[in-house]
Amino acid sequence: MNIYGYSPRKLKEYFEYIGENPAKAMIIFDGIYRRGLKGFTEYGFAERIVERLNADFDFALPKVVEKRECEDAAKLLLELSDGEYVETVLMRQMFGNCICVSTQVGCNMGCKFCQSGLLKTRRNLTAAEITGQALTIAREFDCRIDGVSVMGIGEPFDNFEAVADFCEIVTEDKGLAVGRRHVTVSTCGIVPGIYDYADLPRPCNLAISLHAPTDELRTELMPINKAYPIAEVIKAAEYFSGKTHRRVTLEYVMLKGVNDTAENAKQLAGLVRGHDFYVNLIPYNSTDSGYTKSSAETVSEFCAVLKDNGVIATKRREFGADLNAACGQLRADYTGQ
Ligand code: SAH
């Protein structure tokens, strides 16, 4: 078993299971995440415990097979133990280092503009493989991680338990200690997943990929909308913000001539107004999907209409466009799939 997949709760349960004091779990957390230990001999535990831990756990991390780096961003292509590949990104933001992690090999959601969806989900990542991405970035670039977006390849709520465990691991004070408000899980709108996430003991932030203000257009772009139409997504988002007192981010990728008119902005404002949501406008990262990005001018106008209609909106800064860094692109370049 890979130690990096164990949340504090699961590691405590493990110690209870082997008949030892669960407080040892947190000593180990401190050791592996803060001191970078890769064994169990330095904790002063009895020999029999060390032997048991050595027999039960390994410290394997994914292998870096390609690294692209520019001034404000870097991207790693990682090979997993079974030869599958995933991507992880580091963005150097004003407030610190933010990483973007993948949750699946491939993705089943089939969003029309997204490269990741071209490869159907081959398997879920384990919590250890998601944490492994964060640790590999920290090691490769010798940096602290200040923020995490669960927005790489895959649909997090299609792999709920591993993602929930990862959130616990990465935010643990005795571990990587990323603030809960600096960890954001992004979903394409799997409604039951949003409720389950809101009901976790300590959820992190939530972002929802809305991308269209009407069901007709959203269904065209995102097949998931057939199962969970906009009204249900908004209701679930409202439940999350009510329960957690956190503002929900609605992501909106700006596609030229598709969803970027002033009328679309007004429709979107109608959905958002009165809720504790804000809109993050995402510049489209060109792929060979046939969609293109809206001009900077159109994005500014769209943003202005939202603001005029009482909606808080921001434009996402573009990172690493020259890395060919849109979701799934590096993987596709490398594997030809
Ligand atoms: N499955 C999750 C998280 C992964 S995608 C989700 O759908 O939210 C992360 C975000 O990037 C989503 O908002 C997704 O719609 C968007 N995205 C996908 N391809 C993109 C591209 N080429 N350019 C810009 N954003 C893209």
Side-chain angles (χ1 to χ4, degrees):
M1 298 177 292
N2 190 307
I3 190 83
Y4 302 124
Y6 276 70
S7 65
R9 181 176 62 78
K10 287 191 176 164
L11 201 55
K12 282 180 197 157
E13 280 170 7
Y14 165 83
F15 275 101
E16 275 163 11
Y17 171 72
I18 65 165
E20 294 295 334
N21 185 347
K24 288 193 171 65
M26 299 330 290
I27 298 173
I28 287 186
F29 246 80
D30 189 74
I32 63 180
Y33 293 106
R34 297 250 183 120
R35 294 157 64 202
L37 299 182
K38 291 204 161 170
F40 298 103
T41 51
E42 294 184 50
Y43 298 103
F45 295 160
E47 187 67 23
R48 71 188 149 74
I49 301 177
V50 174
E51 270 171 27
R52 176 74 195 252
L53 293 170
N54 277 333
D56 284 348
F57 293 116
D58 69 82
F59 292 81
L61 284 175
K63 197 171 111 196
V64 179
V65 290
E66 202 173 318
K67 184 170 168 177
R68 288 190 194 169
E69 205 172 352
C70 64
E71 200 182 314
D72 59 358
K75 185 159 200 171
L76 299 180
L77 184 69
L78 303 175
E79 186 178 343
L80 306 173
S81 56
D82 61 352
E84 293 287 4
Y85 297 97
V86 287
E87 297 175 18
T88 306
V89 177
L90 166 68
M91 291 159 288
R92 299 184 192 279
Q93 310 246 28
M94 297 255 280
F95 67 83
N97 300 312
C98 187
I99 64 166
C100 180
V101 295
S102 297
T103 55
Q104 298 180 309
V105 179
C107 183
N108 281 337
M109 298 302 128
C111 300
K112 294 291 186 303
F113 48 83
C114 178
Q115 184 97 29
S116 304
L118 296 179
L119 178 75
K120 291 284 155 251
T121 307
R122 290 238 272 247
R123 69 170 175 87
N124 281 334
L125 298 191
T126 62
E129 288 168 333
I130 308 174
T131 309
Q133 296 171 53
L135 293 174
T136 304
I137 292 258
R139 193 184 58 181
E140 207 58 34
F141 299 98
D142 193 22
C143 64
R144 196 197 128 70
I145 291 166
D146 304 293
V148 178
S149 300
V150 184
M151 293 187 189
I153 300 172
E155 167 49 44
F157 291 166
D158 203 20
N159 184 14
F160 192 90
E161 189 178 345
V163 168
D165 283 347
F166 167 71
C167 289
E168 288 301 315
I169 294 165
V170 80
T171 57
E172 168 55 48
D173 278 346
K174 292 245 181 312
L176 295 173
V178 181
R180 266 170 212 281
R181 281 161 196 277
H182 298 293
V183 177
T184 301
V185 177
S186 174
T187 177
C188 64
I190 298 190
V191 165
I194 298 174
Y195 286 103
D196 288 345
Y197 183 65
D199 288 339
L200 287 174
R202 288 173 305 163
C204 298
N205 287 348
L206 175 68
I208 299 176
S209 299
L210 195 68
H211 301 332
T214 64
D215 279 322
E216 195 189 354
L217 182 55
R218 192 165 189 266
T219 300
E220 198 180 293
L221 297 174
M222 304 175 71
I224 190 73
N225 196 64
K226 276 182 253 161
Y228 305 115
I230 293 176
E232 284 183 38
V233 172
I234 298 289
K235 214 168 113 193
E238 176 70 21
Y239 177 79
F240 178 89
S241 70
K243 182 140 192 213
T244 62
H245 307 292
R246 305 268 186 85
R247 182 169 288 159
V248 176
T249 306
L250 297 180
E251 297 162 279
Y252 196 98
V253 66
M254 298 290 293
L255 302 170
K256 188 175 189 170
V258 175
N259 64 356
D260 63 353
T261 64
E263 177 61 20
N264 293 146
K266 283 186 198 143
Q267 291 166 324
L268 179 59
L271 291 174
V272 177
R273 231 186 348 251
H275 298 286
D276 195 12
F277 305 159
Y278 90 96
V279 175
N280 191 210
L281 299 173
I282 308 177
Y284 184 59
N285 219 325
S286 291
T287 68
D288 46 19
S289 64
Y291 293 101
T292 50
K293 66 192 290 188
S294 307
S295 68
E297 210 175 31
T298 306
V299 178
S300 293
E301 280 164 19
F302 195 94
C303 195
V305 174
L306 289 176
K307 287 182 179 165
D308 286 349
N309 283 275
V311 169
I312 309 167
T314 53
K315 288 181 268 181
R316 181 177 295 175
R317 211 188 116 196
E318 274 183 279
F319 283 91
D322 45 344
L323 295 178
N324 195 10
C327 304
Q329 287 183 340
L330 184 57
R331 186 191 187 289
D333 286 358
Y334 192 82
T335 62
Q337 291 180 324

